[in-house]
Amino acid sequence: MSTKLIKVHPEDNVAIALVDLWQGDRISFEGAEVIIINDVRAKHKITLVNLKAGAPIYMYGVLVGKVVVDVDRGGVLTVENVKHQAATTTGKTKEFSWEKPDISKWQKKTFAGYHREDGQVGTANVWLFFPLVFCENRNVELLKDIFEKELSVQQGSKQRQLLRNLINNKPEETLLEDVAQEDQVFKNIKVRFLTHQGGCGGTRHDSVALSRLLAGYINNPNVAGATVLSLGCQNLQVDILTNALNNLNKDIKKPVLIYEQQQEGTIDEMLNKIIRETFAQIKKADTIKRRPAPLSKLKLGLECGGSDGFSGISANPALGYASDLLAALGGSPILSEFPELCGVEQELVNRCVDSEISEKFIQLMSAYESAAQASGSGFDMNPSPGNIKDGLITDAIKSAGAAKKGGTSPIVDVLDYGEYVTKPGLNLLCTPGNDVESTTAMVGAGANVVVFTTGLGTPTGNPITPIIKVATNTILARRMPDIIDIDSGGVVNGEKSIAEMGEEILEYVIKVASGEIIAKADALGQEDFIPWKRGVSL
């Protein structure tokens, strides 16, 4: 690679190493020579100017930290010589104007989706089972075992075959190569199950928040109907769920079957009733077919996890370009993970279409940060060991790159956890930075497809919504091809532009949304669901 350093923004005083650099290397950069003072691993940052202790560090054009000791030009930034620092946020400081990307080639494109009576369009057709309380998890698991075994005939996994061969003293070479599904009873409907540890024993607020999340899953256009199991005496009463669903969509026409164990008799009697009645509804849902829908019907969750020092220069800005294309087409991108917006709040505030939503964003960020600090933590504690190892040494550095997923479009709405997306354009949703808590929430807010960027690799999936993985670098894409859908490493090595990669991502989204391609997480059966209990989760 001829280019060894990149400066993201003209106002930055640091650069990112695109390859490993060694002490004494002399690099021509911006018309001058940079002498590398320390060994620098790819993805980490070096200073482009001499920095005195206390001097600010700028990256992506924003404040991302400060040095705590003198660091000369060419020195590497580490957790030992840098501390987190972010700019303060006020109300709008300047007017915002947006230059839309060229969408002429996209305006007549459609995806093949499942049309619902309320006007939403799904990218999948799922019958969903879930409990209102953890006491019903076992019954949901029993139903899962029954339905999955009878609705699809599958070979055992390679790992089960491996163990069976070891038990029977057979050679490993006899493992079958193909563990794909052999047959299905239904062709147009999938049956999915989720469990959780909530619904009782916590605060009443926890139960209400969970009810809104579960109502969002029922209302999500990827769901054709739902079977809900209740014990009867728990905090999350049936009427709390039905009220949450009615508040979300008064005209919902989907079948929702609810069973309360304390009113149904024996477990066998209840399960038999559930199976009979649910099977009849699943048969009806299987008659729903895909039909063309405009791209404006896509609600695209924007997620990152297992991020690295390339996330903010390859996969995230490329996804941001795809987000801009979709926003310009009337679709609804969703940017979440509020702890990973720390330091870029002012830019986001200025992009809000009115003061009401900008003030809501400031209030939610402030309340979240205050709660984190009250527990002895803070947004600065967000970067994981993996993030730090791969160059994201402060939360502000991580956040500045993470926010690139949201592109440059106006922010049309700001939603608290459990609220549902209703406006076309970029929406902000208050969630933790935890990957699964965040994706869980975006799907509950209506996301019918999610794109998830990663530099280190993560298998995260969802029970009802396809999650597409984009690698920030080609090394990862080649090392973990079973979980990576798209390789954006061409941006890092200069083979592709951000716009080209963004268009490639949107094309892939359309194919997944149409059922032409199965996202790797779906193929692996990765179905993660973790509600946020509103405690401190970063």
Side-chain angles (χ1 to χ4, degrees):
M1 182 183 295
S2 58
T3 303
K4 296 182 178 181
L5 294 173
I6 184 172
K7 186 167 79 171
V8 181
H9 190 278
E11 296 179 9
D12 293 354
N13 56 8
V14 299
I16 304 169
L18 300 178
V19 296
D20 290 343
L21 304 174
W22 309 106
Q23 181 179 4
D25 282 354
R26 296 174 177 268
I27 300 170
S28 177
F29 186 72
E30 294 187 329
E33 187 178 67
V34 178
I35 301 174
I36 303 302
I37 296 176
N38 325 92
D39 292 347
V40 183
R41 292 180 59 242
K43 308 178 185 179
H44 285 257
K45 288 78 183 168
I46 66 160
T47 63
L48 295 175
V49 296
N50 295 329
L51 295 175
K52 295 293 184 182
I57 301 167
Y58 292 96
M59 191 173 171
Y60 302 97
V62 298
L63 178 66
V64 296
K66 65 178 180 180
V67 293
V68 294
V69 297
D70 294 353
V71 182
D72 290 336
R73 173 178 166 88
V76 64
L77 300 182
T78 69
V79 290
E80 285 76 29
N81 60 24
V82 172
K83 295 298 180 185
H84 168 84
Q85 187 173 33
T88 56
T89 306
T90 59
K92 282 199 168 195
T93 57
K94 61 182 179 180
E95 291 301 312
F96 175 75
S97 62
W98 183 44
E99 184 177 344
K100 293 184 179 181
D102 181 7
I103 57 172
S104 56
K105 66 179 283 188
W106 303 91
Q107 287 178 309
K108 294 183 180 180
K109 284 183 179 287
T110 60
F111 72 98
Y114 296 96
H115 292 247
R116 308 302 178 189
E117 291 188 49
D118 61 2
Q120 296 187 95
V121 181
T123 66
N125 194 33
V126 173
W127 188 275
L128 183 64
F129 287 77
F130 66 83
L132 287 186
V133 62
F134 55 82
C135 308
E136 291 298 315
N137 282 349
R138 177 180 178 273
N139 288 328
V140 171
E141 294 291 352
L142 287 172
L143 290 164
K144 179 178 181 179
D145 183 64
I146 293 164
F147 274 86
E148 288 188 346
K149 284 182 176 177
E150 296 304 320
L151 294 185
S152 62
V153 179
Q154 295 182 328
Q155 298 173 349
S157 72
K158 291 180 181 179
Q159 285 70 40
R160 284 179 59 188
Q161 293 176 60
L162 170 61
L163 179 58
R164 188 180 303 120
N165 287 347
L166 293 172
I167 292 170
N168 296 325
N169 293 315
K170 291 184 178 180
E172 293 184 22
E173 290 73 16
T174 61
L175 289 176
L176 295 176
E177 291 300 321
D178 187 6
V179 296
Q181 187 168 285
E182 292 181 334
D183 188 29
Q184 279 187 306
V185 175
F186 297 119
K187 305 302 181 185
N188 298 311
I189 185 78
K190 300 174 183 176
V191 182
R192 294 287 183 264
F193 303 80
L194 63 83
T195 57
H196 56 81
Q197 302 303 315
C200 201
T203 66
R204 294 296 191 270
H205 179 274
D206 287 341
S207 292
V208 172
L210 180 58
S211 74
R212 295 170 70 184
L213 178 68
L214 293 172
Y217 270 65
I218 295 173
N219 195 55
N220 188 294
N222 290 352
V223 171
T227 296
V228 183
L229 277 66
S230 167
L231 178 60
C233 57
Q234 72 275 355
N235 285 349
L236 205 176
Q237 290 286 295
V238 168
D239 66 328
I240 296 177
L241 175 69
T242 56
N243 288 338
L245 189 55
N246 287 333
N247 290 335
L248 197 59
N249 188 346
K250 289 181 171 56
D251 299 319
I252 193 165
K253 300 293 195 302
K254 296 177 183 179
V256 180
L257 310 180
I258 301 176
Y259 302 89
E260 198 152 79
Q261 185 173 357
Q262 290 171 348
Q263 303 298 320
E264 294 290 348
T266 68
I267 291 176
D268 280 350
E269 290 171 333
M270 180 179 74
L271 294 181
N272 290 345
K273 181 179 179 182
I274 290 172
I275 291 168
R276 290 190 192 98
E277 295 179 356
T278 301
F279 182 76
Q281 292 296 333
I282 292 173
K283 284 179 68 176
K284 292 179 182 178
D286 189 51
T287 64
I288 304 170
K289 304 288 182 64
R290 291 183 183 271
R291 292 187 286 118
L295 300 186
S296 59
K297 294 297 183 179
L298 290 174
K299 293 180 179 178
L300 178 65
L302 311 170
E303 180 67 25
C304 61
S307 298
D308 69 353
F310 287 165
S311 294
I313 63 172
S314 60
N316 287 352
L319 178 54
Y321 189 80
S323 169
D324 284 348
L325 289 171
L326 186 61
L329 289 162
S332 301
I334 307 167
L335 181 63
S336 58
E337 300 180 290
F338 273 28
E340 297 178 12
L341 301 179
C342 177
V344 295
E345 296 101 325
Q346 189 61 61
E347 177 200 339
L348 297 175
V349 164
N350 289 339
R351 286 167 58 185
C352 290
V353 296
D354 61 47
S355 58
E356 181 179 352
I357 64 170
S358 66
E359 289 167 6
K360 183 177 181 180
F361 174 59
I362 293 172
Q363 184 274 322
L364 287 171
M365 285 289 287
S366 176
Y368 198 159
E369 171 75 352
S370 296
Q373 291 175 345
S375 72
S377 185
F379 285 173
D380 60 306
M381 302 287 286
N382 173 271
S384 70
N387 296 149
I388 293 168
K389 181 181 177 182
D390 268 46
L392 303 178
I393 60 174
T394 74
D395 183 52
I397 290 176
K398 182 178 178 181
S399 295
K404 295 299 179 183
K405 303 190 303 291
T408 61
S409 66
I411 295 166
V412 299
D413 209 357
V414 173
L415 306 172
D416 198 0
Y417 183 83
E419 294 183 321
Y420 201 85
V421 171
T422 59
K423 297 180 181 179
L426 179 62
N427 289 252
L428 301 187
L429 175 66
C430 183
T431 77
N434 177 291
D435 303 344
V436 179
E437 287 177 323
S438 175
T439 53
T440 296
M442 286 193 289
V443 173
N448 53 10
V449 63
V450 174
V451 175
F452 189 132
T453 69
T454 181
L456 304 177
T458 173
T460 301
N462 184 267
I464 69 170
T465 291
I467 295 185
I468 300 165
K469 299 288 170 41
V470 181
T472 70
N473 62 91
T474 300
I475 292 174
L476 170 63
R478 291 175 177 170
R479 185 173 67 245
M480 305 179 78
D482 56 330
I483 68 170
I484 298 299
D485 298 277
I486 303 172
D487 174 16
S488 70
V491 175
V492 177
N493 61 32
E495 294 175 0
K496 294 180 182 178
S497 68
I498 293 295
E500 289 170 336
M501 196 68 240
E503 291 192 349
E504 185 176 322
I505 290 172
L506 185 55
E507 288 280 12
Y508 200 94
V509 166
I510 295 169
K511 290 179 180 178
V512 170
S514 300
E516 297 175 21
I517 296 176
I518 299 175
K520 298 287 182 68
D522 276 355
L524 290 170
Q526 189 82 27
E527 299 170 6
D528 302 303
F529 179 85
I530 302 180
W532 184 25
K533 289 188 69 174
R534 211 60 190 239
V536 176
S537 178
L538 299 174

